[in-house]
Amino acid sequence: MRLKLSTGPWAAVLGGSVLIGPLLLQIGSEPGPALAAPADARDAGLRAFDQVALVLRHPRCLNCHTTTNFPGQGDDRHPHVNLVRRGLDDRGVPGMRCATCHQSEENLASGVPGRPNWRLAPLSMGWEGLSDSELCRAFKDQRRNGGRSPEALAEHLRSDALVSYGWNPGGSRTPVPVPREEVARLMDVWVHAGAPCPR
Amino acid sequence: MHELKVNGKVQEIDADPGTPLLWVIREQLGLTGTKFGCGIARCGACTVHVDGEPVRSCSFTVAAASGKEITTIEGLSPDRSHPLQQAWIAEQVPQCGYCQSGMLMTAAALLKARPAPTDEEIDFAMTNLCRCGTYARVRKAIKRASGTTAT
């Protein structure tokens, strides 16, 4: 590249000034960041999403981000005991609501986990069985994700009170595998890259 | 100090904020119709209503109950005249009886939301556990109370 630039039309136009040589060398050997950023950023964004997907697919998230009519439970994602059902509003059925057992914080006497607004994610936000590409597209599709922009998704993962359960589930439950601050950083990388999805 | 309204009566409760509502109901207020079963919100024997919704009181703190209206089995009716109580007697539902106050409180919450529940709605609402296996009679009594049974 350097050789081509310094011997091609550019060199002729610039008239062989001794001052031009280092300039051409610089252009030829190290393309400016503005030229290279989109492709690099996209790759970084895709790599970041790979890590975020580990969180999205973790049982702490997937047990309620499910496509089934009932929540999962445990790391083996068995159906929630006692025939718990999703219900029409994703908060259980009459007589057996999520809030019958789950309150706004973990109950230290019973060990039952809790966070504000405890509920299943709507069916449109179910992620089971999706490929990386499908998961990414479902995640950022505002018709399916509650109207959240990529920035709002980042905020959801960074600060939502119910989502916080994944990192501090209490008892012997396995937390999600990537620290929350790291997920926030990865989401920022993904968002700044234009929220790219794998093909 | 926590102010609770239990069965229509305001009660001042002095207890650690994390104390299960169940202990307050049983030990401090002497309302022993509500039972301790598993202690992990699984069996439903401790079910009461908080602002009209069923709650497993072993897993509900007194602090969370503060300012709320609590109904226990003793408050379901003043004279055992609630349709479910009458149906429970008519269908001879209880065997040992330990789980039955929780069963009744869950069933009452169900009927409030679904006055004529289907079998499926009953099965998914009545997740309370009964070691005597009274489930078939529970379902029958709920149908009787809702007026949807022919037998």
Side-chain angles (χ1 to χ4, degrees):
Chain A
M1 186 68 179
R2 179 177 54 199
L3 182 64
K4 195 173 179 182
L5 271 175
S6 58
T7 57
W10 281 97
V13 168
L14 293 170
S17 163
V18 291
L19 293 174
I20 296 303
L23 178 63
L24 291 176
L25 185 69
Q26 189 176 11
I27 292 171
S29 63
E30 197 172 303
L35 292 173
D40 281 357
R42 180 181 159 78
D43 286 348
L46 289 171
R47 283 196 301 275
F49 186 79
D50 279 349
Q51 294 299 302
V52 172
L54 293 176
V55 172
L56 304 183
R57 289 193 172 114
H58 191 271
R60 292 291 82 68
C61 299
L62 211 54
N63 277 342
C64 288
H65 272 277
T66 174
T67 55
T68 57
N69 205 22
F70 51 85
Q73 197 176 35
D75 287 352
D76 62 356
R77 307 207 56 243
H78 60 265
H80 195 301
V81 294
N82 289 33
L83 281 179
V84 168
R85 282 296 177 273
R86 169 186 290 277
L88 296 176
D89 63 355
D90 305 314
R91 294 164 192 267
V93 294
M96 187 60 171
R97 310 285 291 156
C98 298
T100 296
C101 301
H102 298 278
Q103 310 310 325
S104 59
E105 56 188 7
E106 181 185 5
N107 188 286
L108 298 178
S110 67
V112 175
R115 287 293 186 281
N117 226 1
W118 194 272
R119 68 196 187 286
L120 285 93
L123 281 167
S124 70
M125 301 182 199
W127 298 327
E128 283 153 325
L130 300 183
S131 67
D132 289 353
S133 174
E134 290 166 337
L135 173 63
C136 181
R137 289 168 210 287
F139 183 56
K140 73 173 188 177
D141 182 350
Q142 294 191 34
R143 289 166 301 178
R144 300 170 65 185
N145 75 6
R148 293 182 176 89
S149 65
E151 291 81 1
L153 289 172
E155 187 58 30
H156 183 63
L157 285 171
R158 182 185 294 113
S159 63
D160 183 86
L162 178 51
V163 169
S164 74
Y165 163 74
W167 285 275
N168 189 18
S172 58
R173 300 172 197 90
T174 314
V176 295
V178 183
R180 194 172 200 184
E181 314 79 64
E182 175 64 3
V183 171
R185 190 192 68 78
L186 291 165
M187 283 297 292
D188 284 343
V189 171
W190 183 68
V191 169
H192 287 133
C197 285
R199 293 199 170 83
Chain B
M1 199 66 91
H2 310 279
E3 189 177 288
L4 280 58
K5 197 171 181 182
V6 182
N7 299 332
K9 188 176 170 190
V10 175
Q11 303 276 4
E12 296 283 337
I13 304 294
D14 183 13
D16 184 90
T19 305
L21 177 60
L22 174 61
W23 298 134
V24 171
I25 289 169
R26 285 183 58 85
E27 305 295 330
Q28 293 186 249
L29 301 178
L31 298 169
T32 53
T34 305
K35 304 302 185 194
F36 172 83
C38 64
I40 56 170
R42 179 75 62 87
C43 75
C46 65
T47 303
V48 300
H49 294 182
V50 175
D51 285 347
E53 292 290 336
V55 157
R56 303 207 164 165
S57 60
C58 74
S59 185
F60 197 93
T61 64
V62 66
S66 194
K68 306 275 175 63
E69 291 207 22
I70 318 297
T71 307
T72 70
I73 185 68
E74 291 88 348
L76 193 58
S77 72
D79 53 3
R80 303 177 186 176
S81 62
H82 189 285
L84 281 165
Q85 290 171 311
Q86 292 297 305
W88 242 245
I89 294 166
E91 296 292 349
Q92 295 282 293
V93 175
Q95 188 164 317
C96 87
Y98 196 81
C99 69
Q100 297 295 324
S101 60
M103 286 276 190
L104 278 160
M105 297 310 286
T106 303
L110 168 63
L111 287 190
K112 201 160 59 176
R114 291 281 185 280
T118 63
D119 284 356
E120 189 177 69
E121 285 174 329
I122 292 172
D123 290 347
F124 289 145
M126 302 304 299
T127 62
N128 303 52
L129 301 180
C130 173
R131 289 181 64 173
C132 305
T134 62
Y135 304 109
R137 296 204 295 271
V138 164
R139 182 198 276 183
K140 208 170 171 185
I142 291 172
K143 292 226 151 197
R144 174 186 279 268
S146 70
T148 56
T149 181
T151 54

